[in-house]
Amino acid sequence: MKYVTDFLFLGLAAYSALYGLTYAYRLHHLVNILAAWFVAIHFSKTRPTLAGLMEIFLEDPEDGEKKRHQ
């Protein structure tokens, strides 16, 4: 999780430095993606690991069970 967050910050900083003045309207969308990432980390019930991230997306909200790949 740490590396994903670091990558998002690095990508946002690089985009801001290269294209920030020309395409400033896109910065809004990139910051929204970063904010969504922070919300996903904040509300996750699992440890902040890659396996924990997979559990967030594989859990079935209706019956609380994990989806099985067939």
Side-chain angles (χ1 to χ4, degrees):
M1 294 296 190
K2 176 185 172 186
Y3 295 116
V4 173
T5 305
D6 288 344
F7 178 74
L8 288 173
F9 272 125
L10 180 65
L12 181 62
Y15 184 85
S16 297
L18 294 174
Y19 304 109
L21 293 174
T22 307
Y23 302 107
Y25 60 92
R26 290 185 187 169
L27 286 174
H28 176 76
H29 299 296
L30 295 174
V31 171
N32 281 341
I33 292 169
L34 184 65
W37 174 251
F38 287 147
V39 168
I41 290 173
H42 177 74
F43 287 115
S44 67
K45 296 177 184 178
T46 60
R47 287 185 66 213
T49 61
L50 188 57
L53 180 63
M54 294 305 294
E55 287 183 24
I56 292 171
F57 293 114
L58 294 178
E59 185 175 328
D60 190 10
E62 292 179 2
D63 55 322
E65 294 181 12
K66 293 181 183 176
K67 296 178 183 176
R68 306 259 180 201
H69 293 288
Q70 296 182 13

